[in-house]
Amino acid sequence: MTFSAVLLAGGESRRMGTDKAIFLFRGKPLWQVQLETLSKLRPAEIFLSARTDPSWRPDDVRFIADIPPSCGPLSGIAASLVKIHTAHLLALAIDMPFMTENYLRSICNAIEPGRGVVAKIDNRAEPLAAVYPREAEIDFHTALTGSDFSLQNVVHYLAASGKLLEISVTEQERRLFRNVNNASDVDATIAGG
């Protein structure tokens, strides 16, 4: 099944103190690490969702502005679902560089017509490395017109309505979902294995 992919890079990087996208991780900027991971999956198209079009965006990656007013990743996923030419959208956050091609491929292999996949750690969804069906577009837009911009609540609703399959994350896979919010996050992760 073909799918599109979006790199979510719309955060303000307040904790990082500098643009997360250009933070070096294992010798490469985070944007490059994440786009290389997405490219290995051979999506039909790759988008970059952000508040403004960054200077580092490669020409073969299409920019999509967050739907204003920006409400975090909810806006980026909503804007991307409008633009895809496939039935599914793989979303990946820029600050999750431990995520692997193999894990993303496994969740892409579990998609079905009209249904995507989201991982769960304990009772919490991991919506920033997930696959959304095109049919979720209306649910994202409905959330943006309300006052609750919680991506967790949208994902919970999508799972309850059958638009997302929830899969449990194993102990070994938990590390893949770690965020890099500052340099100490990288140091702690490397020290911890």
Side-chain angles (χ1 to χ4, degrees):
M1 202 172 284
T2 61
F3 62 93
S4 303
V6 62
L7 179 60
L8 300 168
E12 294 181 14
S13 304
R14 284 185 291 250
R15 287 177 280 182
M16 183 71 76
T18 186
D19 183 1
K20 278 186 194 179
I22 59 173
F23 179 79
L24 292 182
F25 179 82
R26 298 178 181 160
K28 295 180 181 177
L30 282 177
W31 69 263
Q32 185 178 356
V33 171
Q34 297 302 72
L35 285 177
E36 286 175 359
T37 298
L38 290 175
S39 293
K40 290 175 186 174
L41 298 168
R42 300 193 188 285
E45 54 198 351
I46 299 179
F47 299 104
L48 169 72
S49 171
R51 292 169 188 253
T52 58
D53 192 357
S55 60
W56 49 260
R57 180 182 55 85
D59 290 338
D60 61 341
V61 174
R62 187 167 156 207
F63 170 70
I64 296 180
D66 287 358
I67 292 178
S70 184
C71 300
L74 187 69
S75 296
I77 295 170
S80 300
L81 281 167
V82 173
K83 301 292 186 183
I84 64 173
H85 294 98
T86 62
H88 291 85
L89 175 70
L90 169 63
L92 179 62
I94 198 155
D95 62 356
M96 294 177 79
F98 301 101
M99 185 52 63
T100 65
E101 168 195 355
N102 288 340
Y103 187 84
L104 294 175
R105 188 176 309 285
S106 74
I107 64 172
C108 288
N109 287 340
I111 60 178
E112 297 175 2
R115 188 168 78 170
V117 179
V118 66
K120 284 189 82 171
I121 296 179
D122 300 323
N123 288 321
R124 187 165 175 81
E126 291 294 335
L128 301 182
V131 184
Y132 298 93
R134 179 195 295 272
E135 291 82 354
E137 176 189 336
I138 190 163
D139 304 296
F140 276 90
H141 284 279
T142 299
L144 287 173
T145 62
S147 58
D148 179 4
F149 304 121
S150 167
L151 190 49
Q152 287 291 322
N153 290 343
V154 173
V155 167
H156 178 75
Y157 175 80
L158 290 171
S161 66
K163 292 181 184 176
L164 282 180
L165 169 67
E166 295 177 318
I167 58 171
S168 295
V169 172
T170 66
E171 266 316 304
Q172 302 92 304
E173 292 168 340
R174 286 179 182 237
R175 66 177 183 79
L176 303 177
F177 293 88
R178 290 184 184 158
N179 297 76
V180 173
N181 291 311
N182 53 53
S184 64
D185 290 339
V186 176
D187 298 338
T189 302
I190 291 169

